[in-house]
Amino acid sequence: MNFFTTHPLFFLLSLFGLAIFSQSCESSQARQEVENTPYQLVWSDEFDQEGLPDSTKWGYDVGDACNLPPGCGWGNNELQYYTEKRPKNARVEDGHLIIEVHQEEMGSREYSSARLTSKGKGDWLYGRFEIRAKIPRGKGIWSAIWMLSTEDRYNGWPHSGEIDIMENVGYDPDTIVSSAHTLAYNHGIGTQKSVRYAVPDAGDVFHTYTLEWEKDFYQVLVDDKLTFRFDREGDSFKVWPFDQAFHLMLNIAYGGNWGGKMGVDPSALPARMLIDYVRVYEKVEN
């Protein structure tokens, strides 16, 4: 007999390979099921009207969160002050939403930016969410396309969950991160479920970041390639709070526990994230 077919190490490697193959098949099957499901467009912003973002679709988180626990910096020791209805930080121009961070005194902070939210204007339970974006480069930048629960049915973060469709920090410009945060799985206790994947030209060209959210799982795709999947593990909100309406968040933070981990470089400012469109689809009822 051949050594490689009888050695215990080969047996273990074979089992490992089968596990990867099985997981790949399951993901492919889920992908096929989603692709075969008819969707209809229910909400979108093509950013074709210049000026401030459409107020019927977008609101703002404002300030530095110093009045909210756990204190300044939106819980992450971020350095920016988020402004409201200020074209310098958020505007529609040449068919794109532009979110821009600047070095300037604003409130109690030395940097300004914007965080747009569809809360109360676009809230959904399940669906397909497509955001086509080009992100900025620069040490200290922290770009994000994500979702939070609208009513916090299970209490504040992380009890009611967070869906991170796309995050990028400027000191790691070629890497996109997608994550799930719940009471059981979150970065505060080092248990978050996430994946890192290479998108080397994320700062140079537009890519489409997509969330497909179903009753028992959600998955993230980049340019229609499956990159991350999070499955429901029972009925407890501690592991699956994603049975309530969520809304979209678009922002650039600056510095903070993650964005500023390697320091900041103000010489890279101003820096902008461009959003080409946001489209939300829901399944067609039979």
Side-chain angles (χ1 to χ4, degrees):
M1 290 186 179
N2 189 298
F3 167 82
F4 294 101
T5 60
T6 58
H7 196 277
L9 178 59
F10 178 83
F11 178 72
L12 291 174
L13 289 173
S14 298
L15 288 179
F16 181 69
L18 286 173
I20 293 176
F21 177 76
S22 176
Q23 184 179 23
S24 175
C25 287
E26 290 175 1
S27 297
S28 297
Q29 183 178 0
R31 181 89 273 278
Q32 190 65 38
E33 290 174 357
V34 170
E35 287 176 345
N36 290 337
T37 302
Y39 278 94
Q40 62 182 358
L41 184 68
V42 296
W43 191 97
S44 69
D45 199 336
E46 303 295 326
F47 305 113
D48 51 8
Q49 184 171 342
E50 300 210 350
L52 289 171
D54 187 342
S55 61
T56 68
K57 296 177 180 178
W58 302 105
Y60 303 81
D61 282 340
V62 182
D64 51 21
C66 287
N67 61 326
L68 301 173
C72 293
W74 299 95
N76 300 296
N77 295 309
E78 299 158 29
L79 303 179
Q80 79 287 337
Y81 186 99
Y82 285 131
T83 66
E84 180 180 16
K85 297 181 180 179
R86 187 171 187 253
K88 187 174 182 178
N89 297 120
R91 63 188 181 276
V92 177
E93 185 178 286
D94 296 329
H96 301 120
L97 170 65
I98 298 173
I99 298 176
E100 201 162 77
V101 56
H102 290 263
Q103 183 180 21
E104 60 179 339
E105 289 189 11
M106 186 64 59
S108 63
R109 320 304 273 176
E110 296 182 3
Y111 303 91
S112 69
S113 187
R115 183 156 103 173
L116 273 63
T117 169
S118 70
K119 184 176 182 179
K121 304 169 187 287
D123 309 273
W124 306 275
L125 175 61
Y126 314 135
R128 177 181 169 96
F129 306 81
E130 296 180 359
I131 303 94
R132 187 163 177 80
K134 181 168 65 173
I135 61 177
R137 301 180 184 273
K139 191 163 64 172
I141 295 293
W142 182 352
S143 305
I145 300 169
W146 52 303
M147 300 184 78
L148 284 176
S149 62
T150 296
E151 297 182 355
D152 286 347
R153 178 185 298 174
Y154 304 115
N155 217 329
W157 193 94
H159 296 69
S160 290
E162 174 182 329
I163 299 173
D164 293 328
I165 301 172
M166 184 286 295
E167 289 187 282
N168 170 264
V169 289
Y171 67 82
D172 194 8
D174 298 338
T175 302
I176 299 298
V177 179
S178 297
S179 306
H181 293 289
T182 71
L183 186 59
Y185 302 119
N186 67 82
H187 68 267
I189 55 177
T191 58
Q192 76 275 9
K193 299 287 188 177
S194 62
V195 66
R196 297 163 52 87
Y197 45 95
V199 185
D201 59 354
D204 302 315
V205 300
F206 284 91
H207 292 277
T208 303
Y209 302 94
T210 301
L211 168 71
E212 293 176 338
W213 177 20
E214 304 280 333
K215 181 180 179 181
D216 294 315
F217 70 93
Y218 75 71
Q219 55 194 20
V220 176
L221 304 93
V222 179
D223 300 328
D224 280 329
K225 179 181 178 181
L226 181 63
T227 57
F228 175 65
R229 177 181 167 105
F230 182 73
D231 288 287
R232 184 171 185 161
E233 297 179 1
D235 295 329
S236 172
F237 78 89
K238 296 179 180 180
V239 296
W240 186 263
F242 306 114
D243 57 355
Q244 58 183 314
F246 274 56
H247 56 272
L248 281 162
M249 311 282 289
L250 308 172
N251 69 280
I252 304 176
Y254 194 66
N257 298 342
W258 188 21
K261 186 177 180 180
M262 299 298 177
V264 300
D265 178 15
S267 69
L269 302 180
R272 59 173 59 176
M273 176 165 64
L274 277 68
I275 309 291
D276 187 30
Y277 60 75
V278 178
R279 297 171 183 167
V280 180
Y281 303 82
E282 291 182 346
K283 283 187 174 181
V284 176
E285 297 294 335
N286 293 327

